[in-house]
Coordinates of all heavy atoms in Angstrom, one line a residue:
M1034 N 2.3 17.5 -3.4 CA 2.2 18.5 -2.5 C 3.3 19.5 -2.8 O 4.5 19.1 -2.8 CB 2.3 18.0 -1.0 CG 1.2 17.2 -0.6 SD 1.5 16.7 1.1 CE -0.2 16.3 1.6
E1035 N 2.9 20.8 -2.9 CA 3.9 21.8 -3.1 C 5.0 21.5 -4.1 O 6.2 21.6 -3.9 CB 4.5 22.2 -1.8 CG 3.5 22.8 -0.7 CD 4.1 23.1 0.6 OE1 5.3 23.4 0.6 OE2 3.3 23.2 1.5
N1036 N 4.5 20.9 -5.2 CA 5.4 20.5 -6.3 C 6.4 19.4 -6.0 O 7.5 19.3 -6.6 CB 6.2 21.7 -6.9 CG 5.2 22.7 -7.5 OD1 4.3 22.3 -8.2 ND2 5.4 24.0 -7.3
T1037 N 6.0 18.6 -5.0 CA 6.9 17.5 -4.6 C 6.1 16.2 -4.7 O 4.9 16.1 -4.2 CB 7.4 17.6 -3.2 OG1 8.1 18.8 -3.1 CG2 8.3 16.5 -2.7
L1038 N 6.6 15.1 -5.4 CA 5.9 13.8 -5.4 C 5.9 13.2 -4.0 O 7.1 13.0 -3.4 CB 6.6 12.9 -6.4 CG 6.0 11.5 -6.5 CD1 4.6 11.6 -7.1 CD2 6.9 10.7 -7.4
V1039 N 4.7 12.9 -3.4 CA 4.7 12.4 -2.0 C 4.2 11.0 -2.0 O 4.3 10.3 -1.0 CB 3.9 13.3 -1.1 CG1 4.6 14.7 -0.9 CG2 2.5 13.5 -1.7
A1040 N 3.6 10.5 -3.1 CA 3.1 9.2 -3.1 C 2.8 8.7 -4.5 O 2.5 9.5 -5.4 CB 1.8 9.0 -2.3
V1041 N 2.8 7.4 -4.7 CA 2.5 6.8 -6.0 C 1.5 5.6 -5.7 O 1.7 4.8 -4.8 CB 3.7 6.2 -6.7 CG1 3.4 5.4 -7.9 CG2 4.7 7.4 -7.0
S1042 N 0.3 5.6 -6.4 CA -0.6 4.6 -6.3 C -0.5 3.6 -7.4 O -0.4 4.1 -8.5 CB -2.0 5.1 -6.1 OG -2.2 5.9 -4.9
V1043 N -0.7 2.3 -7.1 CA -0.7 1.3 -8.1 C -2.0 0.5 -8.1 O -2.4 0.0 -7.0 CB 0.5 0.3 -7.9 CG1 0.5 -0.8 -8.9 CG2 1.8 1.1 -7.9
E1044 N -2.7 0.6 -9.2 CA -4.0 -0.1 -9.3 C -4.1 -0.9 -10.6 O -3.4 -0.7 -11.5 CB -5.1 0.9 -9.3 CG -5.2 1.8 -8.1 CD -6.4 2.7 -8.0 OE1 -7.3 2.6 -8.8 OE2 -6.4 3.7 -7.2
P1045 N -5.0 -2.0 -10.6 CA -5.1 -2.7 -11.8 C -5.4 -1.8 -13.0 O -6.1 -0.8 -12.8 CB -6.3 -3.7 -11.6 CG -6.5 -3.7 -10.1 CD -6.0 -2.3 -9.6
P1046 N -4.9 -2.0 -14.2 CA -4.2 -3.3 -14.6 C -2.8 -3.1 -14.5 O -2.0 -4.0 -15.1 CB -4.6 -3.3 -16.1 CG -4.7 -1.9 -16.5 CD -5.2 -1.2 -15.3
A1047 N -2.2 -2.2 -13.7 CA -0.7 -2.1 -13.5 C -0.1 -3.4 -13.0 O -0.7 -4.0 -12.2 CB -0.4 -1.0 -12.6
T1048 N 1.1 -3.6 -13.4 CA 1.8 -4.9 -13.0 C 3.1 -4.5 -12.2 O 3.9 -5.4 -12.0 CB 2.1 -5.8 -14.2 OG1 2.9 -5.0 -15.1 CG2 0.9 -6.2 -14.9
I1049 N 3.2 -3.3 -11.8 CA 4.4 -2.9 -11.1 C 4.4 -3.5 -9.7 O 3.4 -3.7 -9.1 CB 4.3 -1.3 -10.9 CG1 4.4 -0.6 -12.2 CG2 5.4 -0.8 -9.9 CD1 4.1 0.9 -12.2
A1050 N 5.6 -3.9 -9.3 CA 5.8 -4.6 -8.0 C 6.7 -3.7 -7.1 O 7.4 -2.9 -7.5 CB 6.4 -5.9 -8.1
T1051 N 6.6 -4.0 -5.7 CA 7.5 -3.3 -4.8 C 8.9 -4.0 -5.0 O 9.0 -5.0 -5.7 CB 7.0 -3.6 -3.4 OG1 7.2 -4.9 -3.0 CG2 5.6 -3.1 -3.2
A1052 N 9.9 -3.4 -4.3 CA 11.2 -4.1 -4.4 C 11.3 -5.5 -3.9 O 12.1 -6.3 -4.3 CB 12.2 -3.2 -3.6
S1053 N 10.3 -5.8 -3.0 CA 10.1 -7.2 -2.5 C 9.3 -8.1 -3.3 O 9.0 -9.2 -2.9 CB 9.6 -7.1 -1.0 OG 10.5 -6.4 -0.2
G1054 N 8.8 -7.6 -4.4 CA 7.9 -8.4 -5.3 C 6.4 -8.4 -5.0 O 5.7 -9.1 -5.6
M1055 N 6.0 -7.6 -4.1 CA 4.6 -7.5 -3.8 C 3.9 -6.7 -4.9 O 4.4 -5.6 -5.3 CB 4.3 -6.9 -2.4 CG 5.0 -7.6 -1.3 SD 4.5 -9.3 -1.0 CE 5.9 -10.2 -1.8
R1056 N 2.7 -7.1 -5.3 CA 1.9 -6.4 -6.4 C 0.5 -6.6 -6.2 O 0.0 -7.4 -5.3 CB 2.4 -7.0 -7.7 CG 2.1 -8.5 -7.9 CD 2.6 -9.1 -9.2 NE 4.1 -9.1 -9.2 CZ 4.9 -8.5 -10.1 NH1 4.3 -7.9 -11.1 NH2 6.2 -8.6 -10.0
V1057 N -0.4 -6.0 -7.1 CA -1.8 -6.2 -7.1 C -2.0 -7.8 -7.3 O -1.3 -8.4 -8.1 CB -2.5 -5.5 -8.2 CG1 -3.9 -5.8 -8.3 CG2 -2.3 -3.9 -7.9
G1058 N -2.8 -8.4 -6.4 CA -3.0 -9.8 -6.5 C -2.3 -10.6 -5.4 O -2.7 -11.7 -5.2
T1059 N -1.3 -10.0 -4.8 CA -0.5 -10.7 -3.8 C -1.5 -11.0 -2.6 O -2.3 -10.2 -2.3 CB 0.7 -9.8 -3.3 OG1 1.6 -9.6 -4.3 CG2 1.3 -10.4 -2.1
T1060 N -1.3 -12.1 -2.0 CA -2.1 -12.5 -0.9 C -1.7 -11.8 0.5 O -0.5 -11.4 0.6 CB -2.1 -14.0 -0.6 OG1 -0.8 -14.4 -0.1 CG2 -2.5 -14.8 -1.9
R1061 N -2.6 -11.8 1.4 CA -2.4 -11.2 2.7 C -1.2 -12.1 3.4 O -0.3 -11.5 4.0 CB -3.6 -11.3 3.6 CG -3.4 -10.7 5.0 CD -4.7 -10.9 5.8 NE -4.7 -10.1 7.0 CZ -4.0 -10.4 8.0 NH1 -3.2 -11.4 8.1 NH2 -4.1 -9.5 9.1
D1062 N -1.3 -13.4 3.2 CA -0.2 -14.2 3.9 C 1.2 -13.9 3.3 O 2.1 -13.9 4.0 CB -0.5 -15.7 3.7 CG -1.7 -16.1 4.5 OD1 -2.1 -15.5 5.5 OD2 -2.3 -17.2 4.2
E1063 N 1.2 -13.6 2.0 CA 2.5 -13.3 1.4 C 3.1 -12.0 1.9 O 4.3 -11.9 2.2 CB 2.4 -13.2 -0.1 CG 2.2 -14.5 -0.8 CD 2.0 -14.3 -2.3 OE1 0.9 -13.8 -2.7 OE2 2.8 -14.7 -3.1
L1064 N 2.2 -11.0 2.1 CA 2.6 -9.8 2.7 C 3.2 -9.9 4.1 O 4.2 -9.4 4.5 CB 1.4 -8.8 2.8 CG 0.9 -8.2 1.5 CD1 -0.4 -7.4 1.7 CD2 1.9 -7.3 0.8
I1065 N 2.5 -10.7 4.9 CA 2.9 -11.0 6.3 C 4.2 -11.7 6.3 O 5.1 -11.4 7.1 CB 1.8 -11.8 7.1 CG1 0.5 -11.0 7.1 CG2 2.3 -12.1 8.5 CD1 0.5 -9.7 7.8
R1066 N 4.4 -12.7 5.5 CA 5.6 -13.5 5.4 C 6.8 -12.5 5.0 O 7.9 -12.7 5.5 CB 5.5 -14.6 4.5 CG 5.1 -15.9 5.0 CD 5.3 -17.1 4.1 NE 4.9 -16.9 2.8 CZ 3.6 -17.2 2.4 NH1 2.7 -17.6 3.2 NH2 3.3 -17.1 1.1
T1067 N 6.5 -11.7 4.0 CA 7.6 -10.8 3.5 C 8.0 -9.7 4.4 O 9.2 -9.4 4.6 CB 7.1 -10.2 2.2 OG1 6.8 -11.3 1.2 CG2 8.2 -9.3 1.5
Y1068 N 7.0 -9.0 5.0 CA 7.3 -7.9 5.9 C 7.3 -8.0 7.3 O 7.8 -7.2 8.1 CB 6.3 -6.7 5.5 CG 6.5 -6.3 4.1 CD1 5.4 -6.2 3.2 CD2 7.7 -5.9 3.5 CE1 5.5 -5.8 1.9 CE2 7.8 -5.4 2.2 CZ 6.7 -5.4 1.4 OH 6.8 -5.0 0.1
G1069 N 6.8 -9.2 7.8 CA 6.9 -9.5 9.2 C 6.4 -8.5 10.2 O 5.2 -8.0 10.0
D1070 N 7.2 -8.2 11.2 CA 6.7 -7.2 12.2 C 6.6 -5.8 11.7 O 6.2 -4.9 12.5 CB 7.6 -7.2 13.5 CG 8.4 -8.3 13.8 OD1 8.3 -9.3 13.1 OD2 9.2 -8.2 14.7
E1071 N 7.0 -5.5 10.6 CA 7.0 -4.1 10.0 C 5.7 -3.9 9.3 O 5.5 -2.8 8.7 CB 8.2 -3.9 9.1 CG 9.5 -3.9 9.9 CD 10.7 -3.5 9.0 OE1 10.8 -4.1 7.9 OE2 11.5 -2.7 9.4
I1072 N 4.7 -4.8 9.4 CA 3.4 -4.5 8.7 C 2.4 -4.6 9.8 O 2.5 -5.4 10.7 CB 3.2 -5.5 7.6 CG1 2.1 -5.0 6.7 CG2 2.9 -6.9 8.0 CD1 2.0 -5.6 5.3
S1073 N 1.4 -3.7 9.7 CA 0.3 -3.8 10.7 C -1.0 -3.3 10.0 O -1.0 -2.7 8.9 CB 0.6 -2.8 11.8 OG 0.7 -1.5 11.3
T1074 N -2.1 -3.7 10.6 CA -3.5 -3.4 10.1 C -3.8 -2.0 10.7 O -3.6 -1.7 11.9 CB -4.5 -4.4 10.6 OG1 -4.1 -5.7 10.1 CG2 -5.9 -4.0 10.1
V1075 N -4.3 -1.1 9.8 CA -4.6 0.3 10.3 C -6.1 0.5 10.2 O -6.6 1.4 10.9 CB -3.9 1.4 9.5 CG1 -2.4 1.3 9.9 CG2 -4.1 1.4 8.1
S1076 N -6.8 -0.3 9.4 CA -8.3 -0.1 9.4 C -8.9 -1.3 8.7 O -8.2 -2.0 7.9 CB -8.7 1.1 8.7 OG -8.4 1.1 7.3
A1077 N -10.1 -1.6 9.0 CA -10.8 -2.8 8.4 C -12.3 -2.6 8.4 O -12.8 -1.9 9.3 CB -10.3 -4.0 9.0
D1078 N -13.0 -3.2 7.5 CA -14.4 -3.3 7.6 C -14.8 -4.7 7.1 O -13.9 -5.5 7.1 CB -15.1 -2.2 6.7 CG -14.8 -2.4 5.3 OD1 -14.6 -3.4 4.8 OD2 -14.9 -1.2 4.6
D1079 N -16.1 -4.9 6.9 CA -16.5 -6.3 6.6 C -15.9 -6.9 5.4 O -15.7 -8.1 5.3 CB -18.0 -6.3 6.5 CG -18.7 -6.1 7.8 OD1 -18.0 -6.2 8.8 OD2 -19.9 -5.7 7.8
R1080 N -15.6 -6.1 4.4 CA -15.1 -6.7 3.1 C -13.7 -6.3 2.7 O -13.2 -6.7 1.7 CB -16.0 -6.2 1.9 CG -17.4 -6.8 2.1 CD -18.4 -6.3 1.1 NE -18.5 -4.8 1.4 CZ -19.1 -4.0 0.6 NH1 -19.6 -4.4 -0.5 NH2 -19.1 -2.7 0.9
S1081 N -13.0 -5.4 3.5 CA -11.7 -5.0 3.1 C -10.8 -4.8 4.3 O -11.2 -4.8 5.4 CB -11.7 -3.7 2.3 OG -12.2 -2.6 3.1
E1082 N -9.5 -4.7 4.0 CA -8.5 -4.6 5.1 C -7.4 -3.7 4.5 O -7.1 -3.8 3.3 CB -8.0 -5.9 5.5 CG -7.0 -5.9 6.6 CD -6.6 -7.3 7.0 OE1 -6.7 -8.3 6.2 OE2 -6.1 -7.4 8.1
R1083 N -6.8 -2.9 5.4 CA -5.7 -2.1 5.0 C -4.5 -2.5 5.8 O -4.6 -2.4 7.0 CB -6.0 -0.6 5.1 CG -4.9 0.3 4.8 CD -5.4 1.8 4.8 NE -5.9 2.1 3.5 CZ -6.1 3.3 3.1 NH1 -6.0 4.3 3.9 NH2 -6.5 3.5 1.9
L1084 N -3.3 -2.8 5.2 CA -2.1 -3.1 5.9 C -1.1 -2.1 5.5 O -1.0 -1.7 4.4 CB -1.6 -4.5 5.5 CG -2.5 -5.7 5.8 CD1 -1.9 -7.0 5.3 CD2 -2.8 -5.8 7.2
V1085 N -0.3 -1.7 6.5 CA 0.7 -0.7 6.3 C 2.1 -1.3 6.6 O 2.3 -1.7 7.7 CB 0.5 0.6 7.2 CG1 1.7 1.6 7.0 CG2 -0.8 1.2 6.8
F1086 N 3.0 -1.2 5.6 CA 4.4 -1.7 5.8 C 5.1 -0.4 6.1 O 5.2 0.6 5.3 CB 5.0 -2.3 4.5 CG 6.5 -2.4 4.5 CD1 7.1 -3.1 5.5 CD2 7.1 -2.0 3.4 CE1 8.5 -3.3 5.5 CE2 8.5 -2.1 3.4 CZ 9.2 -2.8 4.5
A1087 N 5.6 -0.3 7.3 CA 6.4 0.9 7.8 C 7.8 0.4 8.2 O 8.1 0.0 9.3 CB 5.7 1.4 9.0
P1088 N 8.7 0.4 7.2 CA 10.1 0.0 7.5 C 10.8 0.9 8.5 O 10.6 2.1 8.5 CB 10.8 0.1 6.1 CG 9.9 0.9 5.3 CD 8.6 0.9 5.8
T1089 N 11.6 0.2 9.4 CA 12.2 0.9 10.5 C 13.6 1.5 10.0 O 14.2 2.3 10.7 CB 12.3 0.1 11.7 OG1 13.0 -1.1 11.3 CG2 11.0 -0.2 12.2
A1090 N 14.2 1.0 9.0 CA 15.5 1.4 8.6 C 15.5 2.9 8.2 O 14.7 3.4 7.5 CB 16.0 0.5 7.4
P1091 N 16.5 3.6 8.7 CA 16.6 5.0 8.5 C 16.6 5.4 7.0 O 16.1 6.5 6.7 CB 17.9 5.4 9.1 CG 18.2 4.4 10.1 CD 17.6 3.1 9.6
R1092 N 17.1 4.6 6.2 CA 17.2 4.9 4.7 C 15.8 5.1 4.1 O 15.6 5.8 3.1 CB 17.9 3.9 3.9 CG 17.3 2.5 3.8 CD 18.2 1.5 3.2 NE 17.6 0.2 3.3 CZ 17.3 -0.5 2.2 NH1 17.6 -0.1 1.0 NH2 16.7 -1.7 2.4
F1093 N 14.7 4.6 4.7 CA 13.4 4.8 4.2 C 12.8 6.1 4.6 O 11.7 6.5 4.1 CB 12.5 3.6 4.6 CG 12.9 2.4 4.0 CD1 13.6 1.3 4.7 CD2 12.7 2.1 2.6 CE1 14.0 0.2 4.1 CE2 13.1 0.9 2.0 CZ 13.7 0.0 2.7
G1094 N 13.4 6.8 5.6 CA 12.9 8.2 6.0 C 11.5 8.3 6.3 O 10.8 9.3 6.1
G1095 N 10.9 7.3 7.0 CA 9.5 7.3 7.4 C 8.5 7.0 6.4 O 7.3 7.2 6.6
R1096 N 8.9 6.7 5.2 CA 7.9 6.4 4.1 C 7.3 5.0 4.4 O 7.9 4.2 5.1 CB 8.7 6.4 2.7 CG 9.0 7.8 2.3 CD 9.7 7.9 1.0 NE 10.1 9.2 0.7 CZ 11.0 10.0 1.2 NH1 11.8 9.5 2.2 NH2 11.3 11.2 0.8
V1097 N 6.2 4.8 3.8 CA 5.4 3.6 4.0 C 4.8 3.0 2.7 O 4.8 3.8 1.7 CB 4.2 3.8 5.0 CG1 4.7 4.2 6.4 CG2 3.2 4.8 4.5
I1098 N 4.3 1.8 2.7 CA 3.6 1.3 1.6 C 2.3 0.8 2.2 O 2.3 0.0 3.2 CB 4.3 0.1 0.9 CG1 5.6 0.5 0.4 CG2 3.4 -0.4 -0.3 CD1 6.4 -0.7 -0.2
V1099 N 1.2 1.3 1.7 CA -0.2 0.9 2.2 C -0.8 0.0 1.2 O -0.9 0.3 0.0 CB -1.1 2.2 2.3 CG1 -2.4 1.8 2.8 CG2 -0.4 3.2 3.4
F1100 N -1.2 -1.2 1.7 CA -1.8 -2.2 0.8 C -3.3 -2.3 1.2 O -3.7 -2.5 2.3 CB -1.2 -3.5 1.0 CG 0.3 -3.6 0.7 CD1 1.2 -3.4 1.6 CD2 0.7 -3.9 -0.6 CE1 2.6 -3.5 1.3 CE2 2.0 -4.0 -1.0 CZ 3.0 -3.8 0.0
D1101 N -4.2 -2.0 0.2 CA -5.6 -2.2 0.4 C -6.0 -3.5 -0.2 O -5.7 -3.8 -1.3 CB -6.4 -1.1 -0.4 CG -6.2 0.3 0.2 OD1 -6.3 0.4 1.5 OD2 -5.9 1.2 -0.5
L1102 N -6.6 -4.4 0.8 CA -6.9 -5.7 0.4 C -8.4 -5.9 0.3 O -9.2 -5.2 1.0 CB -6.4 -6.7 1.5 CG -4.9 -7.0 1.4 CD1 -4.1 -5.8 1.8 CD2 -4.6 -8.2 2.4
K1103 N -8.8 -6.8 -0.6 CA -10.2 -7.3 -0.7 C -10.1 -8.8 -0.9 O -9.3 -9.3 -1.7 CB -10.9 -6.6 -1.9 CG -12.3 -6.9 -1.9 CD -13.0 -6.1 -3.0 CE -14.5 -6.4 -3.0 NZ -15.2 -5.7 -4.1
D1104 N -10.9 -9.5 -0.1 CA -10.9 -11.0 -0.2 C -9.4 -11.5 0.0 O -9.0 -12.4 -0.7 CB -11.5 -11.5 -1.5 CG -12.9 -11.0 -1.6 OD1 -13.6 -10.9 -0.6 OD2 -13.3 -10.7 -2.8
D1105 N -8.7 -10.9 0.9 CA -7.3 -11.4 1.3 C -6.3 -11.2 0.1 O -5.3 -11.9 0.2 CB -7.3 -12.8 1.8 CG -7.8 -12.9 3.2 OD1 -7.7 -11.9 3.9 OD2 -8.3 -14.0 3.6
H1106 N -6.6 -10.4 -0.8 CA -5.6 -10.1 -1.9 C -5.5 -8.6 -2.1 O -6.4 -7.8 -1.9 CB -6.1 -10.7 -3.2 CG -6.0 -12.2 -3.3 ND1 -6.9 -13.0 -2.7 CD2 -5.1 -13.0 -3.8 CE1 -6.6 -14.3 -2.9 NE2 -5.5 -14.3 -3.5
V1107 N -4.2 -8.2 -2.5 CA -4.0 -6.8 -2.7 C -4.8 -6.3 -3.9 O -4.7 -6.8 -5.0 CB -2.5 -6.5 -2.9 CG1 -2.3 -5.0 -3.3 CG2 -1.7 -6.9 -1.8
E1108 N -5.6 -5.3 -3.6 CA -6.4 -4.7 -4.6 C -5.8 -3.4 -5.2 O -5.9 -3.2 -6.4 CB -7.8 -4.2 -4.0 CG -8.8 -3.7 -5.0 CD -10.1 -3.4 -4.3 OE1 -10.2 -2.7 -3.2 OE2 -11.1 -3.8 -4.9
R1109 N -5.0 -2.7 -4.4 CA -4.2 -1.6 -4.8 C -3.2 -1.3 -3.7 O -3.3 -1.8 -2.6 CB -5.1 -0.3 -5.1 CG -5.5 0.3 -3.8 CD -6.3 1.6 -4.0 NE -7.5 1.5 -4.8 CZ -8.7 1.1 -4.4 NH1 -8.8 0.8 -3.1 NH2 -9.7 0.9 -5.2
F1110 N -2.1 -0.6 -4.0 CA -1.2 -0.2 -3.0 C -0.6 1.2 -3.3 O -0.6 1.7 -4.5 CB -0.1 -1.2 -2.7 CG 0.9 -1.4 -3.9 CD1 2.1 -0.7 -4.0 CD2 0.6 -2.4 -4.8 CE1 3.0 -1.0 -5.0 CE2 1.5 -2.7 -5.9 CZ 2.6 -1.9 -6.0
T1111 N -0.2 1.9 -2.3 CA 0.3 3.3 -2.4 C 1.6 3.4 -1.6 O 1.6 3.0 -0.4 CB -0.7 4.3 -1.9 OG1 -2.0 4.1 -2.6 CG2 -0.3 5.7 -2.1
A1112 N 2.6 3.9 -2.2 CA 3.9 4.1 -1.5 C 4.2 5.6 -1.4 O 4.0 6.3 -2.4 CB 5.0 3.4 -2.3
G1113 N 4.7 6.0 -0.3 CA 5.0 7.4 -0.1 C 5.1 7.8 1.3 O 5.3 7.0 2.2
T1114 N 5.0 9.1 1.6 CA 5.0 9.6 2.9 C 3.8 9.1 3.7 O 2.7 8.8 3.0 CB 4.9 11.1 3.0 OG1 3.7 11.6 2.4 CG2 6.1 11.8 2.3
R1115 N 3.8 8.9 5.0 CA 2.7 8.3 5.7 C 1.5 9.1 5.5 O 0.4 8.5 5.2 CB 3.0 8.2 7.2 CG 1.9 7.6 8.0 CD 2.3 7.4 9.5 NE 3.3 6.3 9.7 CZ 3.0 5.0 9.7 NH1 1.8 4.6 9.6 NH2 3.9 4.2 9.9
D1116 N 1.5 10.4 5.6 CA 0.3 11.2 5.4 C -0.3 11.0 4.0 O -1.6 10.9 3.9 CB 0.5 12.7 5.6 CG 0.8 13.1 7.1 OD1 0.5 12.2 7.9 OD2 1.3 14.1 7.3
A1117 N 0.5 11.1 3.0 CA -0.1 11.0 1.7 C -0.6 9.6 1.4 O -1.6 9.3 0.7 CB 1.0 11.4 0.6
A1118 N 0.2 8.5 1.8 CA -0.1 7.1 1.4 C -1.3 6.6 2.2 O -2.1 5.8 1.7 CB 1.1 6.2 1.7
T1119 N -1.6 7.1 3.4 CA -2.7 6.6 4.2 C -3.9 7.4 3.9 O -5.0 7.1 4.5 CB -2.4 6.6 5.7 OG1 -2.0 8.0 6.1 CG2 -1.2 5.6 6.0
A1120 N -3.9 8.4 3.1 CA -5.1 9.2 2.8 C -6.1 8.5 2.0 O -7.3 8.8 1.9 CB -4.7 10.5 2.0
G1121 N -5.7 7.3 1.4 CA -6.6 6.5 0.6 C -6.3 6.6 -0.9 O -5.4 7.2 -1.3
P1122 N -7.2 5.9 -1.7 CA -7.0 5.9 -3.1 C -6.9 7.3 -3.7 O -7.5 8.2 -3.2 CB -8.1 5.2 -3.7 CG -8.7 4.4 -2.5 CD -8.3 5.2 -1.3
C1123 N -6.2 7.5 -4.8 CA -5.9 8.7 -5.4 C -7.3 9.4 -5.8 O -8.0 8.8 -6.5 CB -5.1 8.5 -6.7 SG -5.0 9.9 -7.8
P1124 N -7.6 10.6 -5.2 CA -8.9 11.2 -5.5 C -8.9 11.7 -6.9 O -10.0 11.9 -7.5 CB -8.9 12.4 -4.5 CG -7.5 12.7 -4.1 CD -6.8 11.4 -4.3
W1125 N -7.8 11.9 -7.6 CA -7.8 12.4 -9.0 C -8.0 11.3 -10.0 O -8.3 11.5 -11.1 CB -6.5 13.2 -9.2 CG -6.4 14.3 -8.3 CD1 -7.0 15.5 -8.4 CD2 -5.6 14.3 -7.1 NE1 -6.6 16.3 -7.3 CE2 -5.8 15.6 -6.5 CE3 -4.8 13.4 -6.5 CZ2 -5.2 15.9 -5.3 CZ3 -4.2 13.7 -5.3 CH2 -4.4 15.0 -4.7
C1126 N -7.7 10.0 -9.6 CA -7.8 8.9 -10.5 C -9.2 8.7 -11.1 O -9.3 8.4 -12.2 CB -7.3 7.6 -9.9 SG -5.6 7.7 -9.3
A1127 N -10.2 9.0 -10.3 CA -11.6 8.8 -10.7 C -12.0 9.8 -11.8 O -12.9 9.5 -12.5 CB -12.5 8.9 -9.5
I1128 N -11.3 10.9 -11.8 CA -11.7 12.0 -12.9 C -10.6 12.0 -14.0 O -10.7 12.8 -14.8 CB -11.9 13.3 -12.2 CG1 -10.6 13.8 -11.5 CG2 -13.1 13.3 -11.3 CD1 -10.7 15.2 -11.0
G1129 N -9.7 11.1 -14.0 CA -8.7 11.0 -15.1 C -7.6 12.0 -15.1 O -7.0 12.3 -16.2
L1130 N -7.3 12.6 -14.0 CA -6.1 13.6 -14.0 C -4.9 12.9 -13.7 O -4.7 11.9 -13.0 CB -6.4 14.7 -12.9 CG -7.6 15.6 -13.2 CD1 -7.8 16.6 -12.1 CD2 -7.4 16.4 -14.5

């Protein structure tokens, strides 16, 4: 947005992990154990779930990590500003930009 990086999405086959070691393939239970009360469900349907880690420490400046789960495992995650990270998977990724 306006020449500023606002979010980064991680999808397979990427092996990048968060500072806490969460990555594609991490289980829902591992996310809950790792992030505790700072993680919440923001949307769900029959086959998927979205969890948002919203750290309260001031150093994070309101940034979040959004984990999209399928079958209780992280399918992809996006870290960044709340607006950008909760917008969903990268719309440009499908067209290769």
Side-chain angles (χ1 to χ4, degrees):
M1034 292 181 161
E1035 299 179 19
N1036 295 320
T1037 302
L1038 179 64
V1039 294
V1041 174
S1042 293
V1043 178
E1044 299 186 15
T1048 58
I1049 296 169
T1051 68
S1053 299
M1055 304 297 101
R1056 63 184 67 239
V1057 170
T1059 295
T1060 67
R1061 182 184 195 284
D1062 289 342
E1063 289 175 293
L1064 291 172
I1065 301 299
R1066 268 195 311 274
T1067 300
Y1068 297 125
D1070 337 353
E1071 292 183 311
I1072 197 162
S1073 60
T1074 300
V1075 294
S1076 66
D1078 65 28
D1079 292 342
R1080 294 173 298 173
S1081 65
E1082 182 176 22
R1083 177 173 272 192
L1084 299 179
V1085 177
F1086 167 55
T1089 55
R1092 68 186 173 121
F1093 292 105
R1096 289 176 179 77
V1097 299
I1098 304 174
V1099 177
F1100 296 94
D1101 290 314
L1102 282 69
K1103 185 173 181 183
D1104 299 325
D1105 285 335
H1106 288 81
V1107 175
E1108 183 175 48
R1109 75 176 59 83
F1110 64 94
T1111 304
T1114 64
R1115 182 175 288 276
D1116 287 346
T1119 58
C1123 169
W1125 303 279
C1126 297
I1128 58 173
L1130 295 178

